[in-house]
Short mmCIF file of all heavy atoms in Angstrom, two decimals:
data_model
loop_
_atom_site.label_atom_id
_atom_site.label_comp_id
_atom_site.label_asym_id
_atom_site.label_seq_id
_atom_site.Cartn_x
_atom_site.Cartn_y
_atom_site.Cartn_z
N MET A 62 -26.22 19.57 -68.44
CA MET A 62 -24.83 19.36 -67.97
C MET A 62 -23.87 19.56 -69.14
O MET A 62 -24.06 18.92 -70.24
CB MET A 62 -24.58 17.98 -67.31
CG MET A 62 -25.32 17.74 -66.10
SD MET A 62 -24.70 18.81 -64.68
CE MET A 62 -23.02 18.19 -64.57
N PHE A 63 -22.90 20.40 -69.01
CA PHE A 63 -21.89 20.75 -70.08
C PHE A 63 -20.58 20.80 -69.37
O PHE A 63 -20.32 21.70 -68.60
CB PHE A 63 -22.31 22.03 -70.74
CG PHE A 63 -21.49 22.39 -71.96
CD1 PHE A 63 -21.49 21.64 -73.07
CD2 PHE A 63 -20.60 23.48 -71.93
CE1 PHE A 63 -20.74 21.95 -74.24
CE2 PHE A 63 -19.84 23.82 -73.03
CZ PHE A 63 -19.92 23.04 -74.22
N PHE A 64 -19.65 19.82 -69.76
CA PHE A 64 -18.38 19.80 -69.11
C PHE A 64 -18.45 19.79 -67.61
O PHE A 64 -17.80 20.61 -66.91
CB PHE A 64 -17.39 20.84 -69.60
CG PHE A 64 -16.93 20.66 -71.03
CD1 PHE A 64 -17.43 21.41 -72.02
CD2 PHE A 64 -15.95 19.73 -71.33
CE1 PHE A 64 -17.04 21.26 -73.38
CE2 PHE A 64 -15.51 19.57 -72.63
CZ PHE A 64 -16.04 20.27 -73.65
N ASP A 65 -19.34 18.93 -67.07
CA ASP A 65 -19.47 18.72 -65.59
C ASP A 65 -20.09 19.98 -64.90
O ASP A 65 -20.01 20.03 -63.64
CB ASP A 65 -18.17 18.31 -64.95
CG ASP A 65 -17.73 16.98 -65.48
OD1 ASP A 65 -18.51 16.04 -65.75
OD2 ASP A 65 -16.50 16.78 -65.64
N GLU A 66 -20.62 20.90 -65.60
CA GLU A 66 -21.36 22.05 -64.94
C GLU A 66 -22.77 22.03 -65.38
O GLU A 66 -23.11 21.75 -66.56
CB GLU A 66 -20.63 23.32 -65.33
CG GLU A 66 -19.25 23.50 -64.84
CD GLU A 66 -19.09 23.61 -63.26
OE1 GLU A 66 -20.14 24.06 -62.69
OE2 GLU A 66 -18.11 23.33 -62.76
N SER A 67 -23.68 22.39 -64.47
CA SER A 67 -25.11 22.42 -64.84
C SER A 67 -25.54 23.78 -65.17
O SER A 67 -25.22 24.80 -64.42
CB SER A 67 -25.84 21.84 -63.60
OG SER A 67 -27.28 21.89 -63.89
N TYR A 68 -26.33 23.97 -66.21
CA TYR A 68 -26.81 25.25 -66.68
C TYR A 68 -28.31 25.23 -66.89
O TYR A 68 -28.82 24.22 -67.40
CB TYR A 68 -26.05 25.65 -67.96
CG TYR A 68 -24.65 25.85 -67.82
CD1 TYR A 68 -23.73 24.75 -68.13
CD2 TYR A 68 -24.04 27.00 -67.34
CE1 TYR A 68 -22.36 24.91 -67.99
CE2 TYR A 68 -22.68 27.21 -67.16
CZ TYR A 68 -21.87 26.12 -67.52
OH TYR A 68 -20.46 26.23 -67.35
N SER A 69 -28.97 26.32 -66.68
CA SER A 69 -30.38 26.43 -66.91
C SER A 69 -30.65 27.56 -67.89
O SER A 69 -31.79 27.76 -68.35
CB SER A 69 -31.12 26.75 -65.60
OG SER A 69 -30.72 27.90 -64.96
N GLN A 70 -29.60 28.36 -68.20
CA GLN A 70 -29.69 29.46 -69.14
C GLN A 70 -28.56 29.40 -70.19
O GLN A 70 -27.54 28.85 -69.94
CB GLN A 70 -29.73 30.79 -68.42
CG GLN A 70 -30.92 31.01 -67.48
CD GLN A 70 -30.84 32.29 -66.71
OE1 GLN A 70 -29.77 32.70 -66.24
NE2 GLN A 70 -31.94 32.95 -66.56
N PHE A 71 -28.85 30.12 -71.27
CA PHE A 71 -27.75 30.19 -72.32
C PHE A 71 -27.83 31.55 -73.01
O PHE A 71 -28.83 32.23 -72.78
CB PHE A 71 -27.88 29.01 -73.35
CG PHE A 71 -29.05 29.20 -74.26
CD1 PHE A 71 -28.93 29.56 -75.58
CD2 PHE A 71 -30.34 28.90 -73.78
CE1 PHE A 71 -30.02 29.71 -76.42
CE2 PHE A 71 -31.44 29.01 -74.65
CZ PHE A 71 -31.27 29.47 -75.93
N ARG A 72 -26.91 31.85 -73.88
CA ARG A 72 -26.96 33.06 -74.66
C ARG A 72 -26.61 32.62 -76.11
O ARG A 72 -26.02 31.68 -76.41
CB ARG A 72 -25.95 34.09 -74.15
CG ARG A 72 -26.25 34.62 -72.74
CD ARG A 72 -25.30 35.70 -72.33
NE ARG A 72 -25.61 36.24 -71.04
CZ ARG A 72 -25.18 37.30 -70.49
NH1 ARG A 72 -24.16 38.01 -71.21
NH2 ARG A 72 -25.53 37.82 -69.34
N ILE A 73 -27.12 33.50 -77.02
CA ILE A 73 -26.87 33.32 -78.45
C ILE A 73 -25.97 34.43 -78.97
O ILE A 73 -26.26 35.59 -78.76
CB ILE A 73 -28.23 33.25 -79.23
CG1 ILE A 73 -29.17 32.14 -78.77
CG2 ILE A 73 -27.96 33.14 -80.71
CD1 ILE A 73 -30.51 32.16 -79.36
N SER A 74 -24.91 33.99 -79.65
CA SER A 74 -24.08 35.03 -80.38
C SER A 74 -24.55 35.11 -81.85
O SER A 74 -24.87 34.11 -82.48
CB SER A 74 -22.60 34.59 -80.35
OG SER A 74 -21.84 35.37 -81.27
N SER A 75 -24.49 36.29 -82.35
CA SER A 75 -24.89 36.54 -83.77
C SER A 75 -23.94 35.87 -84.72
O SER A 75 -24.17 35.62 -85.84
CB SER A 75 -24.91 38.03 -84.07
OG SER A 75 -23.58 38.64 -83.84
N ASN A 76 -22.76 35.39 -84.16
CA ASN A 76 -21.68 34.81 -85.04
C ASN A 76 -21.80 33.25 -85.05
O ASN A 76 -20.79 32.63 -85.27
CB ASN A 76 -20.38 35.27 -84.58
CG ASN A 76 -20.16 36.75 -84.95
OD1 ASN A 76 -20.49 37.16 -86.05
ND2 ASN A 76 -19.50 37.50 -84.03
N GLY A 77 -22.97 32.71 -84.82
CA GLY A 77 -23.15 31.31 -85.07
C GLY A 77 -22.89 30.33 -83.97
O GLY A 77 -22.66 29.18 -84.23
N PHE A 78 -22.93 30.76 -82.76
CA PHE A 78 -22.79 29.81 -81.67
C PHE A 78 -23.67 30.23 -80.42
O PHE A 78 -24.15 31.32 -80.38
CB PHE A 78 -21.34 29.69 -81.17
CG PHE A 78 -20.74 30.97 -80.58
CD1 PHE A 78 -20.81 31.30 -79.27
CD2 PHE A 78 -19.99 31.89 -81.40
CE1 PHE A 78 -20.25 32.42 -78.74
CE2 PHE A 78 -19.39 33.01 -80.92
CZ PHE A 78 -19.51 33.37 -79.60
N ILE A 79 -23.85 29.30 -79.51
CA ILE A 79 -24.49 29.59 -78.23
C ILE A 79 -23.41 29.43 -77.14
O ILE A 79 -22.43 28.68 -77.33
CB ILE A 79 -25.66 28.67 -77.93
CG1 ILE A 79 -25.30 27.27 -77.70
CG2 ILE A 79 -26.74 28.80 -79.03
CD1 ILE A 79 -26.52 26.41 -77.22
N THR A 80 -23.68 30.05 -76.05
CA THR A 80 -22.65 30.10 -75.00
C THR A 80 -23.36 30.02 -73.58
O THR A 80 -24.42 30.51 -73.40
CB THR A 80 -21.71 31.27 -75.12
OG1 THR A 80 -20.73 31.28 -74.04
CG2 THR A 80 -22.47 32.55 -75.02
N PHE A 81 -22.61 29.54 -72.62
CA PHE A 81 -23.02 29.54 -71.24
C PHE A 81 -22.24 30.61 -70.46
O PHE A 81 -22.46 30.73 -69.23
CB PHE A 81 -22.92 28.22 -70.59
CG PHE A 81 -23.63 27.07 -71.33
CD1 PHE A 81 -22.93 26.18 -72.10
CD2 PHE A 81 -25.02 26.98 -71.31
CE1 PHE A 81 -23.59 25.22 -72.79
CE2 PHE A 81 -25.70 26.03 -72.03
CZ PHE A 81 -24.95 25.07 -72.78
N ALA A 82 -21.34 31.29 -71.07
CA ALA A 82 -20.55 32.35 -70.50
C ALA A 82 -21.38 33.64 -70.29
O ALA A 82 -22.36 33.86 -71.02
CB ALA A 82 -19.30 32.58 -71.27
N GLN A 83 -20.90 34.39 -69.37
CA GLN A 83 -21.55 35.66 -69.06
C GLN A 83 -20.76 36.90 -69.49
O GLN A 83 -21.23 38.01 -69.26
CB GLN A 83 -21.78 35.76 -67.56
CG GLN A 83 -22.64 34.65 -66.97
CD GLN A 83 -24.09 34.81 -67.41
OE1 GLN A 83 -24.67 35.87 -67.21
NE2 GLN A 83 -24.68 33.75 -67.92
N ASP A 84 -19.68 36.74 -70.27
CA ASP A 84 -18.84 37.89 -70.60
C ASP A 84 -19.34 38.70 -71.77
O ASP A 84 -18.86 39.78 -72.08
CB ASP A 84 -17.38 37.44 -70.79
CG ASP A 84 -17.28 36.44 -71.89
OD1 ASP A 84 -18.22 36.13 -72.66
OD2 ASP A 84 -16.13 35.82 -72.02
N GLY A 85 -20.31 38.17 -72.49
CA GLY A 85 -20.87 38.91 -73.60
C GLY A 85 -19.96 39.01 -74.88
O GLY A 85 -20.18 39.86 -75.70
N ASN A 86 -18.97 38.13 -74.94
CA ASN A 86 -18.07 38.12 -76.09
C ASN A 86 -18.72 37.52 -77.23
O ASN A 86 -19.05 36.43 -77.25
CB ASN A 86 -16.79 37.45 -75.71
CG ASN A 86 -15.68 37.61 -76.71
OD1 ASN A 86 -15.96 37.73 -77.95
ND2 ASN A 86 -14.45 37.68 -76.32
N PRO A 87 -18.86 38.22 -78.40
CA PRO A 87 -19.59 37.71 -79.55
C PRO A 87 -18.73 36.86 -80.45
O PRO A 87 -19.29 36.30 -81.44
CB PRO A 87 -20.09 38.96 -80.28
CG PRO A 87 -18.98 39.94 -80.03
CD PRO A 87 -18.53 39.68 -78.54
N GLY A 88 -17.41 36.79 -80.25
CA GLY A 88 -16.60 35.94 -81.04
C GLY A 88 -16.22 36.50 -82.37
O GLY A 88 -16.09 35.83 -83.33
N CYS A 89 -16.08 37.90 -82.47
CA CYS A 89 -15.69 38.48 -83.67
C CYS A 89 -14.19 38.22 -83.93
O CYS A 89 -13.44 38.23 -82.97
CB CYS A 89 -15.92 40.00 -83.64
SG CYS A 89 -15.48 40.91 -85.09
N CYS A 90 -13.72 38.00 -85.11
CA CYS A 90 -14.49 37.99 -86.41
C CYS A 90 -14.30 36.76 -87.15
O CYS A 90 -14.43 36.82 -88.40
CB CYS A 90 -14.10 39.27 -87.11
SG CYS A 90 -14.56 40.78 -86.33
N SER A 91 -13.95 35.71 -86.51
CA SER A 91 -13.78 34.43 -87.19
C SER A 91 -13.85 33.23 -86.11
O SER A 91 -13.58 33.55 -84.92
CB SER A 91 -12.49 34.32 -88.03
OG SER A 91 -11.40 34.45 -87.19
N GLY A 92 -14.08 32.09 -86.56
CA GLY A 92 -14.07 30.90 -85.69
C GLY A 92 -12.71 30.52 -85.24
O GLY A 92 -11.79 30.37 -86.11
N GLN A 93 -12.51 30.35 -83.94
CA GLN A 93 -11.22 29.93 -83.44
C GLN A 93 -10.94 28.47 -83.67
O GLN A 93 -11.91 27.67 -83.88
CB GLN A 93 -11.12 30.26 -81.93
CG GLN A 93 -11.09 31.67 -81.53
CD GLN A 93 -11.10 31.85 -80.02
OE1 GLN A 93 -11.23 30.90 -79.32
NE2 GLN A 93 -11.01 33.06 -79.57
N PHE A 94 -9.72 28.09 -83.68
CA PHE A 94 -9.34 26.71 -83.67
C PHE A 94 -9.50 26.26 -82.21
O PHE A 94 -8.89 26.79 -81.33
CB PHE A 94 -7.89 26.46 -84.12
CG PHE A 94 -7.51 25.06 -84.21
CD1 PHE A 94 -7.64 24.33 -85.36
CD2 PHE A 94 -6.96 24.36 -83.10
CE1 PHE A 94 -7.27 22.95 -85.50
CE2 PHE A 94 -6.60 23.02 -83.13
CZ PHE A 94 -6.70 22.33 -84.41
N LEU A 95 -10.26 25.15 -81.99
CA LEU A 95 -10.56 24.69 -80.66
C LEU A 95 -9.71 23.50 -80.24
O LEU A 95 -9.44 22.61 -81.10
CB LEU A 95 -12.05 24.29 -80.53
CG LEU A 95 -13.06 25.33 -80.85
CD1 LEU A 95 -14.53 24.82 -80.68
CD2 LEU A 95 -12.86 26.60 -80.01
N PRO A 96 -9.22 23.38 -78.98
CA PRO A 96 -9.47 24.41 -77.95
C PRO A 96 -8.61 25.62 -78.03
O PRO A 96 -7.48 25.58 -78.66
CB PRO A 96 -9.19 23.58 -76.65
CG PRO A 96 -8.11 22.63 -77.05
CD PRO A 96 -8.48 22.26 -78.51
#
Side-chain angles (χ1 to χ4, degrees):
M62 293 293 295
F63 186 67
F64 287 103
D65 296 323
E66 296 290 336
S67 180
Y68 298 95
S69 60
Q70 297 178 317
F71 73 104
R72 296 184 176 192
I73 300 174
S74 168
S75 62
N76 288 319
F78 64 87
I79 67 172
T80 179
F81 304 106
Q83 297 291 307
D84 59 10
N86 189 325
C89 180
C90 293
S91 62
Q93 294 176 353
F94 184 90
L95 303 179

